[in-house]
Amino acid sequence: AQSVTQLDSQVPVFEEAPVELRCNYSSSVSVYLFWYVQYPNQGLQLLLKYLSGSTLVESINGFEAEFNKSQTSFHLRKPSVHISDTAEYFCAAALYNFNKFYFGSGTKLNVKP
Amino acid sequence: EAGVVQSPRYKIIEKKQPVAFWCNPISGHNTLYWYRQNLGQGPELLIRYENEEAVDDSQLPKDRFSAERLKGVDSTLKIQPAELGDSAVYLCASSGLQWNYGYTFGSGTRLTVV
């Protein structure tokens, strides 16, 4: 079965510092990969996705993620975080052509001033 | 566009009582999902509808959970009777034909069973 592992449950970081949130998936077949963000008491919002093509994908607010097939990873990065980036981030995977998302357990990003 | 609308936002009930959650998906989205998110965990799929048909309910505890999507639009998820372990956030999501572009989630219903 498909599984998604987020290695860090919490990541504290100071404002304007870089951050990387790690995500690994288990699959021997092609997958679609996603990052969602969840602010307190809100639903999940799609941050970015990898479907095919360029392995580096970007969001409108400065996050980027790189698909690495050999390491089965899809780590999320931002070169300089803001206080407003404080939220929980979920990585998700879906098998190619099969509509079922598998979510990781989430990483809480806490940006300190 | 209103987004995916869920109600209520919060619900506290005693164990063994029934409870129902309602979801209105984005207009035109034919696929609707119910997810359960336990504290400190990622969402897990309970059921997926394609229009009126439940096409994946393998993770739905059918002894106490039921769901319906009449007319292929709104959906209701019911628990009867509720147990303490059902305390969680219940998320509804919807997607169009290109589901691989991502789901749109509602704000969820936080259920507390006491």
Side-chain angles (χ1 to χ4, degrees):
Chain A
Q2 181 71 263
S3 69
V4 176
T5 302
Q6 292 183 244
L7 297 169
D8 305 300
S9 60
Q10 297 191 50
V11 173
V13 62
F14 286 105
E15 193 173 20
E16 298 183 3
V19 71
E20 178 179 79
L21 307 183
R22 296 179 291 172
C23 171
N24 288 87
Y25 65 93
S26 64
S27 176
S28 59
V29 298
S30 297
V31 295
Y32 301 128
L33 295 163
F34 307 83
W35 276 99
Y36 279 82
V37 58
Q38 187 175 35
Y39 299 101
N41 298 316
Q42 295 188 27
L44 281 74
Q45 300 173 31
L46 182 64
L47 191 60
L48 46 75
K49 61 182 179 289
Y50 169 78
L51 302 181
S52 65
S54 172
T55 58
L56 186 65
V57 291
E58 299 177 349
S59 72
I60 58 174
N61 58 351
F63 283 94
E64 64 179 29
E66 186 163 18
F67 169 57
N68 188 318
K69 187 174 183 179
S70 62
Q71 297 186 7
T72 60
S73 67
F74 191 56
H75 301 333
L76 181 69
R77 295 188 290 261
K78 190 171 185 179
S80 176
V81 294
H82 301 134
I83 296 287
S84 59
D85 293 325
T86 295
E88 189 158 18
Y89 293 78
F90 290 92
C91 182
L95 296 177
Y96 182 68
N97 271 350
F98 187 68
N99 185 3
K100 187 167 187 175
F101 280 32
Y102 295 85
F103 285 87
S105 55
T107 298
K108 291 183 179 178
L109 177 63
N110 183 15
V111 182
K112 305 175 182 180
Chain B
E1 191 171 81
V4 177
V5 180
Q6 291 188 247
S7 68
R9 286 298 311 275
Y10 305 92
K11 190 76 175 179
I12 301 175
I13 62 170
E14 294 183 342
K15 62 181 180 182
K16 300 184 181 179
Q17 294 301 306
V19 65
F21 315 124
W22 175 81
C23 174
N24 178 244
I26 289 177
S27 177
H29 279 188
N30 60 315
T31 309
L32 183 145
Y33 316 80
W34 282 104
Y35 276 81
R36 178 168 60 188
Q37 185 177 15
N38 292 314
L39 187 65
Q41 298 182 23
E44 294 181 333
L45 181 69
L46 290 174
I47 189 168
R48 170 167 67 98
Y49 280 95
E50 297 287 350
N51 300 304
E52 302 92 349
E53 183 181 1
V55 296
D56 184 354
D57 62 356
S58 56
Q59 301 301 310
L60 189 72
K62 298 180 182 64
D63 57 334
R64 299 184 299 106
F65 286 65
S66 64
E68 61 182 10
R69 191 184 184 197
L70 301 177
K71 300 182 181 179
V73 182
D74 294 358
S75 178
T76 302
L77 178 69
K78 298 178 181 178
I79 308 175
Q80 182 171 11
E83 297 179 352
L84 295 177
D86 296 330
S87 294
V89 175
Y90 291 84
L91 294 165
C92 179
S94 68
S95 67
L97 291 176
Q98 292 186 296
W99 60 266
N100 57 336
Y101 279 33
Y103 302 167
T104 302
F105 283 85
S107 297
T109 297
R110 182 178 297 275
L111 173 67
T112 303
V113 182
V114 298

